[in-house]
Amino acid sequence: VDRNYVVAACAQFLGDTYGNDPSYRPKYHHRALYVDDRERRILIRNERSNEEEYLPYDVLIGADGIRSVVRNGIQINHRNFECRVDDIFATFKAVHVALPPKVGTGTLTLLPNS
């Protein structure tokens, strides 16, 4: 399942269910920067205006991606929190490689490990 479909379905459900609740304040186009576990707040930055603000929380759901600030904050502050991240690449670099002429589009090609 494409992650974007899951995120869109969750966002629609939350909006449909809690859209009229004054406590529901979605923050699209924002980036999580830091979780302050002691004060129960999270620092976020508006990606369009670069403005930063702390938001208080009662429940914090970490759905902020592969390099999750929320997950990291939970792991640092709660040593008994178990989380496996062995399937997440810690270091990588994305590069564009032109498609070789003998490799068809939509095919799977395995390259030997050298």
Side-chain angles (χ1 to χ4, degrees), residues 27-95:
K27 294 288 188 176
Y28 296 105
H29 307 289
H30 284 72
R31 178 174 300 277
L33 301 176
Y34 172 72
V35 176
D36 183 350
D37 186 61
R38 286 196 175 115
E39 297 293 323
R40 298 182 63 89
R41 62 186 186 162
I42 184 169
L43 178 63
I44 63 170
R45 176 183 299 138
N46 183 314
E47 292 182 330
R48 294 181 174 167
S49 68
N50 268 347
E51 292 179 25
E52 295 179 358
E53 66 177 311
Y54 276 101
L55 296 177
Y57 66 83
D58 293 317
V59 176
L60 187 59
I61 299 172
D64 52 330
I66 191 168
R67 290 181 174 78
S68 173
V69 170
V70 173
R71 182 182 58 240
N72 188 49
I74 293 170
Q75 286 177 315
I76 288 172
N77 294 302
H78 301 278
R79 300 291 182 196
N80 61 345
F81 178 76
E82 292 185 26
C83 178
R84 285 187 50 206
V85 293
D86 56 339
D87 61 337
I88 299 174
F89 300 112
T91 305
F92 67 91
K93 180 178 181 180
V95 296

Side-chain angles (χ1 to χ4, degrees), residues 3-16:
R3 176 185 179 273
N4 292 321
Y5 291 125
V6 174
V7 171
C10 288
Q12 182 174 353
F13 171 79
L14 290 171
D16 292 348

